[in-house]
Amino acid sequence: MLINNSQVGFNNKYNLLTYGCQMNVRDSETISGILESLGYISTDNYTEADLVVFNTCSVRHSAENKVYSKLGEINKFKKHKPELMIAFGGCMAQVPEVRRRLKRLGVDVLFGTHNIHNLAQLIDEARNENKRAYQVWDEAGPVIESLPVKRQAGLSAFVNIMYGCNNFCSYCIVPYTRGRERSRTPEHIIHEVSNLAEAGYKEVTLLGQNVNSYGLGLEKPYNFAELLEMVADNSPGIERIRFTTSHPKDISDKLIYTIAKGGKICEHVHVALQSGSNKILNMMNRKYTKEHYINITSKMRDKIPNVAITTDIIVGFPGETEEDFTETIDVVNKVQFDAAYTFMYSPRSGTRAADFTEHVPIGIKKARLSYLMEVQYDIAARINKTLEGQIEEVLVEGPSKTNADFLTARTRNNRIVIFPGSSSLIGQIINIRIVEGKTFSLTGELINNF
Ligand code: SAH
Ligand code: SF4
Ligand code: F3S
């Protein structure tokens, strides 16, 4: 594809702004791959870019607001540099309401989550034909393999095993922005993991909105536990395999036993609770009960040595009473999560819950969120304290962001450990003695003869 380089000020630089979850981080690697195959060079500074690309998230109102505010800032700048092109993609591009609003803003290229493969063509159209190029499909076709990719630097890489979601939790926009569930074949996944190992990556995280339903719709059926084993057996050079996220309704015994075997598969399961109240879980269309959740997580704690269990929780879902919230706190106390992401419910237009009318007042939502965080932080700090003096196997990831003399590493069950050490350790798996356990991280010291 040819880019018209004759335009005044066109310097081939792009600034990519990524919002949202790991899916978007991975999609951004494809977007970068496409742009760099066209000759663009990345910059972190939009004032020196000719193309700004937004890869957006729609999961909560606050996520969309961040994007609107940045778009406003860049549009203001564009007044001084009219040739600056703005491309807008990701989950917000899939939302009709957003698209209506964008019409009034200076977006030159609009591309949906199912249209990334056509980004080069859309940019070309917008630049050379000097018009707006918009393409958003409601549903994806078959999975497209072999798009160019520019990976983020580091030791760890994301690998999609499936796209989309079929669960339609009543609060969630994702099934609308990402379409129906589609699995990649094990061959494509293993091929990508091998390429990553060859490029020096040590760790992969397998990505899906509900990895436990992997394989549905494939010509030759596989389940997720089988995929995990296949990846572990066919990835020389990769030391650790992680995965996210798991849905409580679909976690099988086979999966629990597969993780329990250890080896490359790390002992960390992210399994969203959302609420501890059966009434609310039912209204959320989550398809499990509080009792099932407690059972499945206690089985994990029983069978998988040192497993870390992390979760997502929403407070203030429509109709949530004080009793419902107390049920959530009860599960949090019973399961003793290693970490939790906590959110206030945010209505998303087009979802079923957007029509529910029993809104919880914002003051109550805020109070519940801060109480939940207090309870969870105490639990995390207490668990981390029990690790003091223990030996942990860590992968050394790089220099600590907060202290140049320290390194940052990660335990098998996804805890961050900061410790003093030489940069020659980066990329190695070593044993560390935990010195201090804090709420969000651990400090450690070397015990081998390094
Ligand atoms: N597929 C993942 C979740 C992806 S969205 C899973 O099911 O585990 C990440 C988290 O955002 C969800 O788990 C939920 O806790 C939160 N979330 C999604 N929609 C939300 C909304 N409308 N308001 C508040 N939080 C929401
Ligand atoms: Fe959203 Fe539920 Fe699908 Fe997760 S499983 S992406 S919360 S609809
Ligand atoms: Fe992820 Fe946000 Fe889309 S959480 S799937 S980027 S709505």
Side-chain angles (χ1 to χ4, degrees):
M1 175 107 17
L2 286 175
I3 295 283
N4 182 352
N5 278 319
S6 60
Q7 285 173 0
V8 181
F10 183 55
N11 63 2
N12 272 357
K13 283 195 178 159
Y14 74 97
N15 177 211
L16 173 56
L17 303 165
T18 305
Y19 301 82
C21 68
Q22 297 100 325
M23 305 286 164
N24 265 15
V25 173
R26 177 61 192 83
D27 282 351
S28 278
E29 294 180 334
T30 302
I31 293 171
S32 289
I34 292 173
L35 296 176
E36 300 206 0
S37 71
L38 295 174
Y40 280 91
I41 301 161
S42 164
T43 172
D44 291 338
N45 180 353
Y46 70 77
T47 63
E48 54 176 53
D50 271 66
L51 169 67
V52 174
V53 184
F54 283 85
N55 190 12
T56 61
C57 171
S58 210
V59 80
R60 282 170 291 276
H61 184 66
S62 54
E64 289 193 349
N65 265 0
K66 271 190 220 156
V67 171
Y68 282 127
S69 128
K70 194 72 185 177
L71 183 60
E73 181 188 325
I74 291 178
N75 253 320
K76 219 176 196 179
F77 174 72
K78 189 173 160 139
K79 297 221 161 57
H80 306 288
K81 189 178 176 180
E83 72 275 16
L84 173 68
M85 188 183 270
I86 299 179
F88 191 102
C91 289
M92 280 174 77
Q94 295 293 138
V95 180
E97 215 173 56
V98 172
R99 288 205 293 274
R100 280 195 288 278
R101 194 164 159 185
L102 286 181
K103 279 213 173 111
R104 286 176 274 117
L105 296 162
V107 171
D108 304 286
V109 172
L110 185 77
F111 60 105
T113 55
H114 311 306
N115 306 78
I116 293 176
H117 62 291
N118 285 332
L119 182 59
Q121 183 196 324
L122 293 167
I123 290 174
D124 193 48
E125 264 174 42
R127 198 170 280 292
N128 293 333
E129 294 169 34
N130 207 13
K131 63 171 196 192
R132 289 184 165 186
Y134 286 15
Q135 189 183 75
V136 178
W137 294 340
D138 284 342
E139 269 301 328
V143 173
I144 299 171
E145 296 289 350
S146 320
L147 290 174
V149 51
K150 187 203 169 200
R151 293 284 178 178
Q152 294 203 334
L155 300 166
S156 186
F158 292 132
V159 175
N160 295 114
I161 62 165
M162 59 206 291
Y163 302 95
C165 182
N166 286 353
N167 288 309
F168 288 94
C169 303
S170 63
Y171 50 81
C172 185
I173 196 83
V174 173
Y176 304 92
T177 64
R178 294 277 167 173
R180 295 295 62 70
E181 221 170 80
R182 299 167 314 280
S183 292
R184 293 177 75 197
T185 64
E187 292 74 25
H188 282 121
I189 294 165
I190 288 167
H191 181 67
E192 184 173 340
V193 173
S194 307
N195 285 346
L196 287 165
E198 252 168 55
Y201 289 89
K202 301 267 187 252
E203 179 180 282
V204 290
T205 303
L206 308 181
L207 291 184
Q209 295 296 352
N210 172 14
V211 291
N212 310 109
S213 66
Y214 171 80
L216 300 178
L218 282 180
E219 240 169 66
K220 189 170 167 209
Y222 290 99
N223 62 43
F224 179 58
E226 286 163 345
L227 178 76
L228 265 181
E229 282 184 336
M230 286 164 78
V231 175
D233 291 344
N234 292 284
S235 53
I238 295 294
E239 314 259 12
R240 290 178 162 189
I241 299 168
R242 302 185 181 281
F243 54 94
T244 197
T245 67
S246 293
H247 196 298
K249 76 178 164 64
D250 294 322
I251 290 185
S252 64
D253 283 356
K254 176 136 198 268
L255 177 66
I256 294 178
Y257 288 114
T258 305
I259 304 168
K261 280 192 220 156
K264 292 182 183 183
I265 302 166
C266 290
E267 298 82 13
H268 170 214
V269 188
H270 183 79
V271 55
L273 165 68
Q274 311 300 6
S275 169
S277 149
N278 286 339
K279 177 191 98 190
I280 298 294
L281 285 172
N282 188 32
M283 287 169 72
M284 287 177 161
N285 193 31
R286 289 290 287 177
K287 301 197 171 87
Y288 55 86
T289 59
K290 170 187 182 184
E291 293 72 27
H292 173 79
Y293 190 92
I294 292 172
N295 268 338
I296 202 96
T297 46
S298 67
K299 200 184 250 177
M300 287 187 225
R301 292 244 191 255
D302 254 17
K303 306 286 178 208
I304 311 171
N306 288 327
V307 69
I309 301 176
T310 57
T311 203
D312 293 346
I313 299 172
I314 298 174
V315 299
F317 188 79
E320 185 188 71
T321 62
E322 212 48 42
E323 289 71 41
D324 295 318
F325 178 63
T326 309
E327 297 273 356
T328 299
I329 297 293
D330 184 43
V331 181
V332 169
N333 281 324
K334 287 200 166 101
V335 176
Q336 297 278 296
F337 292 109
D338 294 86
Y341 297 94
T342 51
F343 310 104
M344 282 192 280
Y345 169 69
S346 166
R348 306 282 70 210
S349 111
T351 62
R352 271 212 285 136
D355 298 331
F356 297 174
T357 48
E358 270 184 89
H359 297 296
V360 175
I362 182 75
I364 293 181
K365 276 188 189 171
K366 281 187 178 163
R368 287 183 188 162
L369 184 69
S370 73
Y371 181 69
L372 171 62
M373 286 162 79
E374 217 176 279
V375 172
Q376 176 52 39
Y377 290 172
D378 279 353
I379 292 172
R382 191 198 53 74
I383 297 176
N384 286 344
K385 266 255 152 315
T386 65
L387 300 175
E388 291 177 1
Q390 289 196 21
I391 311 291
E392 290 277 344
E393 185 193 291
V394 297
L395 171 62
V396 185
E397 293 183 341
S400 159
K401 284 193 190 100
T402 46
N403 187 332
D405 300 329
F406 283 66
L407 297 172
T408 177
R410 210 173 277 264
T411 66
R412 287 181 60 87
N413 57 19
N414 213 32
R415 292 192 159 80
I416 292 170
V417 189
I418 311 292
F419 67 100
S422 126
S423 59
S424 62
L425 294 172
I426 295 169
Q428 294 190 33
I429 292 202
I430 58 171
N431 284 328
I432 289 278
R433 180 178 293 110
I434 304 304
V435 174
E436 194 189 354
K438 305 185 204 174
T439 309
F440 303 111
S441 70
L442 308 166
T443 60
E445 62 188 9
L446 291 166
I447 52 168
N448 296 339
N449 297 324
F450 288 109

